[in-house]
């Protein structure tokens, strides 16, 4: 007569059931590994960088964009393991799905639920953020289900980061309507110049994040088998070019963030280039993921540099027009020498509206840099790759 399996033995049905459903004492650890929670620190900075590039301080829309990004990012993590469960069974059997700690259906359900939550948060930020988040979600699902096993995989991943920065910019809000007085024409010219400059800033910030992501994803393609030194060398060159570009914004915080970015990404990439073995390639990928945090901080500190220059040039005809028209009547019939501002917003230093001066960029960048030690500490417990 066969003996019943003991409750603590590997063959006990209850233990097998808990492993397949993710229940039991190791449930939290299994889901943390599946969702790669140590990489979550690299996500909110995209919304902050996008808002800063749009010339805005963080707002409620920025918080909603960051929440949407977090949900879509985690949806992609769960979906990635679900799509790669057969490959992981051969190459990474310790992952939660092939090891049986989480059932594949649970991972797929989590991916769907997190995607719906991300789109719902973006919808609360407005129509443009919802459209951007929809494109981002479509890119994430296309990458996980198909493109990550094709040569287009790194480009698709870079597109996802590009769209994530655009989501932060879209959720930052739009400018107030122009006044209907005689200053409308010069102010319209100023608005067009400023908006064009900010569009360049937003697309530039998104392109830098996308370029870094492209380099890191290319390295990750061979992290389980090993590869040639050419790919990490090319990624090292990309990191050097990006850090040199962000360091052009000559402020102490921007220079610090750029230096931290270069140091975080370059050292493991150099080691991987000298010895492209799986452990060193995985370490280089982890360093590249964490390096997104100081890169986002660098972008958040100086994203409006071109806008400030363009705004100064556009204010020349505005000043002439303001000096030519009569003084405005103040309260109680008093004459006021202060010209009316676009949208009725009083100018701050340099003539930019107070809501658009970017006074929150410094604290946002400092907060992002403070996340880096936490990301390092968390990555020791849960691998970001």
């Amino acid at each position: 007569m066969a003996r019943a399996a003991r409750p603590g033995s590997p063959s006990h049905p209850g233990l097998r059931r808990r492993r397949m459903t993710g229940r039991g004492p190791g449930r939290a650890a299994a889901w943390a590994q599946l969702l790669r929670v140590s990489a979550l620190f690299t996500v909110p900075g995209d919304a902050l960088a996008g808002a800063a590039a749009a010339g805005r301080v963080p707002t409620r829309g920025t918080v909603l964009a960051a929440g949407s990004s977090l949900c879509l990012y985690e949806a992609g993590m769960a979906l990635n393991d679900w799509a790669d469960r057969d490959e992981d069974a051969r190459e990474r059997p310790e992952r939660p799905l092939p090891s049986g700690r989480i059932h594949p259906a649970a991972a797929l359900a989590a991916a769907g639920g997190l995607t719906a939550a991300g789109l719902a948060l973006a919808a609360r930020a407005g129509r443009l953020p919802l459209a951007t988040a929809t494109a981002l979600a479509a890119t994430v699902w296309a990458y996980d289900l198909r493109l990550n096993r094709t040569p287009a995989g790194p480009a698709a991943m870079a597109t996802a980061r590009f769209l994530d920065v655009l989501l932060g910019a879209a959720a930052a809000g739009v400018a107030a309507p122009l006044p209907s007085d005689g200053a409308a024409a010069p102010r319209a010219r100023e608005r067009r110049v400023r908006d064009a400059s900010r569009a360049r800033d937003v697309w530039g910030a998104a392109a830098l994040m996308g370029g870094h992501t492209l380099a890191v994803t290319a390295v990750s393609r061979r992290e389980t088998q090993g590869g040639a030194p050419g790919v990490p060398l090319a990624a090292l060159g990309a990191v050097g070019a990006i850090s040199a570009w962000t360091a052009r914004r000559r402020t102490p915080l921007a220079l610090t963030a750029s230096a931290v970015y270069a140091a975080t990404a370059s050292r493991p990439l150099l080691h991987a280039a000298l010895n492209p073995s799986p452990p060193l390639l995985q370490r280089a990928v982890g360093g590249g993921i964490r390096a997104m945090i100081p890169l986002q901080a660098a972008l958040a500190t100086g994203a409006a540099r071109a806008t400030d220059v363009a705004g100064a040039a556009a204010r020349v005809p505005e000043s002439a027009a303001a000096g030519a028209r009569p003084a405005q009547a103040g309260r109680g019939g008093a004459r006021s020498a202060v010209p009316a501002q676009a949208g009725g917003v009083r100018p701050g230093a340099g003539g930019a509206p107070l809501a658009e001066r970017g006074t929150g960029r410094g604290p946002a960048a400092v907060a992002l840099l403070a996340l880096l030690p936490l990301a390092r500490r968390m990555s020791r417990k849960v691998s970001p790759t």
Side-chain angles (χ1 to χ4, degrees):
M1 186 174 183
R3 296 174 57 187
R6 290 178 299 173
S9 67
S11 59
H12 190 269
L15 182 56
R16 289 201 304 267
R17 190 181 307 113
R18 286 196 298 270
R19 284 179 175 174
M20 291 300 292
T21 59
R23 299 174 183 172
R27 175 179 57 181
W31 280 99
Q33 186 181 7
L34 175 74
L35 299 176
R36 297 170 175 85
V37 294
S38 63
L40 280 180
F41 296 100
T42 71
V43 180
D46 287 341
L48 293 173
R56 305 289 183 170
V57 297
T59 62
R60 173 180 174 273
T62 307
V63 175
L64 290 172
S68 176
S69 298
L70 287 167
C71 289
L72 295 177
Y73 187 86
E74 291 292 52
M77 292 296 152
L79 185 64
N80 180 268
D81 271 34
W82 179 85
D84 292 347
R85 61 191 184 279
D86 293 334
E87 180 181 342
D88 286 343
R90 296 188 303 268
E91 299 179 354
R92 308 174 80 175
E94 74 281 359
R95 295 293 302 167
L97 267 61
S99 66
R101 289 176 292 157
I102 295 177
H103 197 283
L108 183 60
L114 287 166
T115 299
L119 294 178
L121 288 172
R124 296 192 63 184
R127 293 182 179 178
L128 183 57
L130 175 59
T132 308
T134 301
L136 174 57
T139 303
V140 169
W141 280 73
Y143 172 83
D144 285 335
L145 296 180
R146 176 66 179 173
L147 296 178
N148 69 338
R149 288 173 287 276
T150 70
M157 183 65 79
T159 300
R161 277 286 174 173
F162 183 92
L163 289 170
D164 204 29
V165 176
L166 294 188
L167 174 59
V174 296
L178 291 173
S180 57
D181 58 11
R187 294 191 186 286
R189 288 194 296 270
E190 176 190 359
R191 180 67 56 81
R192 285 194 296 270
V193 172
R194 186 169 65 240
D195 288 349
S197 298
R198 284 177 179 162
R200 289 193 295 269
D201 288 333
V202 169
W203 285 73
L208 289 176
M209 283 302 305
H212 174 82
T213 305
L214 179 68
V216 175
T217 308
V219 175
S220 72
R221 306 278 279 187
R222 303 294 297 178
E223 65 177 345
T224 58
Q225 299 93 4
V231 176
L233 273 177
L236 187 61
V239 168
I242 292 172
S243 60
W245 179 264
T246 56
R248 293 177 60 187
R249 302 178 172 102
R250 301 290 183 178
T251 64
L253 192 52
L255 291 172
T256 299
S258 299
V260 173
Y261 161 69
T264 303
S266 297
R267 183 176 178 180
L269 281 173
L270 179 59
H271 292 166
L274 295 175
N275 179 15
S277 61
L280 291 182
L281 286 173
Q282 292 172 15
R283 191 175 302 172
V285 173
I289 293 173
R290 288 189 296 273
M292 292 179 180
I293 299 173
L295 175 57
Q296 292 159 346
L299 294 174
T301 59
R305 181 176 58 86
T307 299
D308 295 338
V309 174
R315 281 192 295 273
V316 174
E318 174 199 351
S319 301
R325 72 175 188 268
Q328 305 296 318
R331 181 177 299 177
R335 311 297 287 181
S336 172
V338 179
Q341 300 300 318
V345 182
R346 183 174 59 85
L354 287 176
E356 301 176 358
R357 284 173 56 189
T359 54
R361 291 175 194 155
V366 171
L368 286 173
L369 289 175
L371 289 178
L372 187 58
L374 297 176
R376 286 198 184 103
R377 190 174 301 115
M378 181 66 72
S379 66
R380 298 190 186 102
K381 300 179 180 179
V382 181
S383 173
T385 63

